Amino acid sequence: MKRIRLIATGGTIACMPTEHGLAPGLDAHALLDYAGTSAQNVECVDLFNMDSSNIQPEEWCKIAEKVLKSSWDYDGIVITHGTDTMAYTASMLSFMLRGIGVPVVLTGSQYPITYPDSDGRKNLQNALLAARELPGGVYICFGNAIIKGCRAVKTRTTSLDAFESINYPYVGMVANGRCYSLAMPEKKQELSFSDALDPRVALIKLVPGTSPALLESLISCDVRGVVVEAFGLGGMHNFRRDHTESIRKLIAAGIPVVLTSQCLYEASTPDVYEVSEPLRNAGVISARDMTTEAAVTKLMWVLGQTDDPEQIRALMRQNLCGEIME
């Protein structure tokens, strides 16, 4: 049987009641006790025990390093993680561990694994099974669905099917103790590990009436990159409160601006409507069909690789690990 490493980072799946509310308390071995027969030939390691609302770029680097070292000795890796930032972690690991030769499967639960009706037991069992069956890559396994890491978004706060695959087919599903493939296997690539990243990226969601001064204020906030969730295909105000000049000022200050949509599904582009033409001329980078989580983490990762504006633009436009549909 294949050797699996279980890396625990905390999250709801590991939570215990405290006088202040639920808080992570179970270690990897305690979680594995709930996995039944799926626990065979699994070795545990505790990386940290945190609510995922506290998972930040520093933790991403520690997770990526532990995954890389584990990939030398194990056939598959399962990471238990809180659901709230799991999509961000899965996206960032997809960029940091491009071409990894073993499956890296993130999972967690909406209810603590100790609860009688918890989804944690099934999710952990399914993730361990997926880690034995999937090809190399980063995935989320949750509620019977297997999702490509850089395409996952948490769309529900309490439902057991909390995650969806956005603009990409589901990789597979787990049912009746078996893992079924739903997507064509991707072309293999060589491992390219880099944990250099720059967390100084701001995400701005526009609302009707957003002041251009809000965007311009980022220049003095030690921000190195901006992702803007615009309207529809990528529209922003261009009269009364004209955002175009603010975008130009950001780009002139050496701050790349990535334009995405507030819509979950389908691609954004500044190439269709007249209202977006000034943005295109100003030099915004289209996120196309990337999720917001992927756009943010990719920009952090790209800024860790280079500070050259043209190289940043080229890398953001390049499909690195399936985050953009070609």
Side-chain angles (χ1 to χ4, degrees), residues 82-97:
T83 60
D84 288 348
T85 61
M86 187 187 294
Y88 285 98
T89 298
S91 286
M92 182 57 87
L93 291 180
S94 299
F95 298 116
M96 298 172 81
L97 296 160

Side-chain angles (χ1 to χ4, degrees), residues 138-161:
V138 179
Y139 310 91
I140 286 178
C141 181
F142 206 96
N144 293 331
I146 303 172
I147 303 170
K148 191 173 183 62
C150 58
R151 291 291 188 163
V153 172
K154 186 179 181 183
T155 57
R156 297 172 180 85
T157 59
T158 58
S159 298
L160 303 188
D161 53 344

Side-chain angles (χ1 to χ4, degrees), residues 6-283:
L6 173 61
I7 300 173
T9 69
T12 296
I13 193 170
C15 274
M16 300 288 289
T18 75
E19 60 179 319
H20 302 294
L22 292 172
L26 299 180
D27 63 15
H29 285 95
L31 293 175
L32 193 61
D33 285 342
Y34 289 89
T37 58
S38 302
Q40 295 177 11
N41 215 22
V42 178
E43 296 184 25
C44 298
V45 61
D46 293 293
L47 197 54
F48 30 78
N49 214 348
M50 297 172 63
D51 188 299
S52 74
S53 295
N54 278 321
I55 299 289
Q56 298 173 56
E58 292 80 1
E59 283 71 43
W60 291 337
C61 290
K62 292 177 181 177
I63 295 172
E65 181 181 2
K66 181 63 70 174
V67 168
L68 179 66
K69 292 180 179 179
S70 298
S71 71
W72 301 336
D73 300 312
Y74 295 87
D75 303 303
I77 298 163
V78 172
I79 303 170
T80 52
H81 191 290
T83 60
D84 288 348
T85 61
M86 187 187 294
Y88 285 98
T89 298
S91 286
M92 182 57 87
L93 291 180
S94 299
F95 298 116
M96 298 172 81
L97 296 160
R98 286 188 300 139
I100 190 164
V102 303
V104 180
V105 185
L106 287 86
T107 196
S109 66
Q110 294 286 62
Y111 301 97
I113 202 167
T114 57
Y115 283 19
D117 57 348
S118 172
D119 55 327
R121 290 184 288 279
K122 183 181 72 172
N123 286 345
L124 180 55
Q125 291 166 359
N126 288 351
L128 290 168
L129 176 61
R132 294 186 172 101
E133 298 292 336
L134 293 172
V138 179
Y139 310 91
I140 286 178
C141 181
F142 206 96
N144 293 331
I146 303 172
I147 303 170
K148 191 173 183 62
C150 58
R151 291 291 188 163
V153 172
K154 186 179 181 183
T155 57
R156 297 172 180 85
T157 59
T158 58
S159 298
L160 303 188
D161 53 344
F163 290 86
E164 293 185 36
S165 183
I166 305 300
N167 297 327
Y168 195 87
Y170 283 84
V171 173
M173 62 177 293
V174 179
N176 301 318
R178 296 185 62 184
C179 184
Y180 297 90
S181 176
L182 298 177
M184 294 291 291
E186 295 185 354
K187 184 187 300 183
K188 290 185 178 181
Q189 56 179 317
E190 294 294 320
L191 174 64
S192 177
F193 174 77
S194 174
D195 60 357
L197 55 92
D198 193 323
R200 292 175 293 174
V201 170
L203 170 64
I204 301 294
K205 182 169 185 172
L206 298 182
V207 298
T210 295
S211 170
L214 175 65
L215 292 167
E216 293 178 23
S217 69
L218 297 173
I219 296 173
S220 61
C221 292
D222 193 33
V223 168
R224 282 202 61 213
V226 178
V227 177
V228 178
E229 278 194 359
F231 308 119
L233 279 171
M236 300 172 68
H237 300 333
N238 68 358
F239 82 100
R240 192 178 297 120
R241 298 174 180 87
D242 188 351
H243 295 137
T244 307
E245 188 58 31
S246 302
I247 296 296
R248 287 198 184 100
K249 289 179 180 179
L250 286 168
I251 295 172
I255 300 172
V257 178
V258 177
L259 191 67
T260 187
S261 175
Q262 295 177 18
C263 302
L264 267 179
Y265 293 98
E266 302 174 348
S268 62
T269 175
D271 297 333
V272 176
Y273 287 99
E274 177 269 337
V275 73
S276 300
E277 183 182 19
L279 302 174
R280 182 173 68 250
N281 295 338

Side-chain angles (χ1 to χ4, degrees), residues 268-318:
S268 62
T269 175
D271 297 333
V272 176
Y273 287 99
E274 177 269 337
V275 73
S276 300
E277 183 182 19
L279 302 174
R280 182 173 68 250
N281 295 338
V284 297
I285 303 167
S286 175
R288 294 160 63 186
D289 66 329
M290 277 190 279
T291 66
T292 293
E293 289 84 346
V296 168
T297 54
K298 183 177 184 178
L299 185 55
M300 288 182 180
W301 183 85
V302 167
L303 290 171
Q305 315 309 305
T306 180
D307 57 7
D308 179 80
E310 289 308 312
Q311 290 185 23
I312 292 170
R313 180 178 299 276
L315 283 170
M316 288 302 298
R317 288 175 169 175
Q318 182 181 348

